[in-house]
Amino acid sequence: MKSWKGFTLLEVLIAVSILVGGVLVIGQSWSGNFMRVRKSSLYHNVASLLEKKVVEIEAFYHGKSIEEIPEEDSGDFGSDYPQYRWEMRSQDFEMPDLRNVLISREEGANDMLLMVIQNTQEFISKSVKEVTVSVFVKAKTKEIEYSVTTYFVDYNQELTLGGLGGGGGTQ
């Protein structure tokens, strides 16, 4: 009887299948980590660009009347971030009507309190503007939007209390 030295075909196939299985497991974990790193980088860029744009807008409109804030504005971030763009949308702040809450209480509300609440609501609505800044990222098949909302307050608006206190305005 002859003695054969070496591996049989079955042993080689088993070794190759174990090697392929190990490479697949390592490849999957590497791919998952690479995707997490890419997402982390995207979120970091978006957060930085949103913060940068909001600070720029706040600095530009600081000390100005809220009427000077345009309803819409947009642009890009230059050649450093070619897949990103930004938009700004502003709207008047809508103060919720608090009079119904006061009227529905057991004690109700007197006319003076309702008038003060109404004047305060009108003052806040005239003095505050809601501004939403969005950063858009071009993905493979669509564009993804990330937004943040801030409020601008015009501290130079005059609060008039109507028929209260002799008709003069206060600040």
Side-chain angles (χ1 to χ4, degrees):
M1 189 167 173
K2 269 185 164 180
S3 165
W4 295 95
K5 294 191 177 192
F7 296 104
T8 65
L9 181 60
L10 184 60
E11 291 171 328
V12 171
L13 288 175
I14 291 173
V16 168
S17 64
I18 291 172
L19 180 66
V20 167
V23 168
L24 285 174
V25 168
I26 291 172
Q28 287 294 330
S29 69
W30 183 267
S31 170
N33 286 337
F34 182 69
M35 188 180 346
R36 283 187 205 94
V37 168
R38 266 194 353 212
K39 276 188 174 183
S40 175
S41 176
L42 171 83
Y43 293 152
H44 172 74
N45 287 343
V46 166
S48 296
L49 292 173
L50 269 172
E51 181 181 18
K52 175 184 175 186
K53 188 47 65 179
V54 168
V55 168
E56 284 177 10
I57 290 170
E58 285 177 345
F60 186 77
Y61 293 109
H62 179 72
K64 296 181 180 178
S65 169
I66 60 173
E67 284 84 25
E68 295 180 53
I69 300 173
E71 286 188 25
E72 291 186 6
D73 197 4
S74 63
D76 60 19
F77 294 100
S79 61
D80 290 339
Y81 299 97
Q83 70 272 26
Y84 297 89
R85 68 180 182 87
W86 63 271
E87 285 183 3
M88 179 196 78
R89 292 178 302 279
S90 70
Q91 64 184 17
D92 292 334
F93 178 72
E94 293 293 325
M95 181 74 179
D97 189 6
L98 301 175
R99 292 176 294 167
N100 294 332
V101 174
L102 293 173
I103 292 171
S104 66
R105 295 184 322 170
E106 269 185 40
E107 308 89 45
N110 62 30
D111 290 337
M112 172 94 79
L113 180 60
L114 292 175
M115 187 171 62
V116 168
I117 293 293
Q118 180 179 355
N119 287 341
T120 304
Q121 287 173 325
E122 290 172 2
F123 171 73
I124 291 173
S125 292
K126 287 189 312 188
S127 302
V128 178
K129 193 155 203 170
E130 181 177 316
V131 176
T132 302
V133 179
S134 300
V135 169
F136 295 88
V137 182
K138 293 177 192 164
K140 292 178 183 175
T141 59
K142 61 182 176 179
E143 196 171 51
I144 304 170
E145 177 181 5
Y146 299 91
S147 299
V148 66
T149 300
T150 187
Y151 297 91
F152 286 84
V153 179
D154 186 354
Y155 294 103
N156 296 321
Q157 286 285 337
E158 187 173 313
L159 174 62
T160 57
L161 298 176
L164 301 176
T170 62
Q171 288 188 1

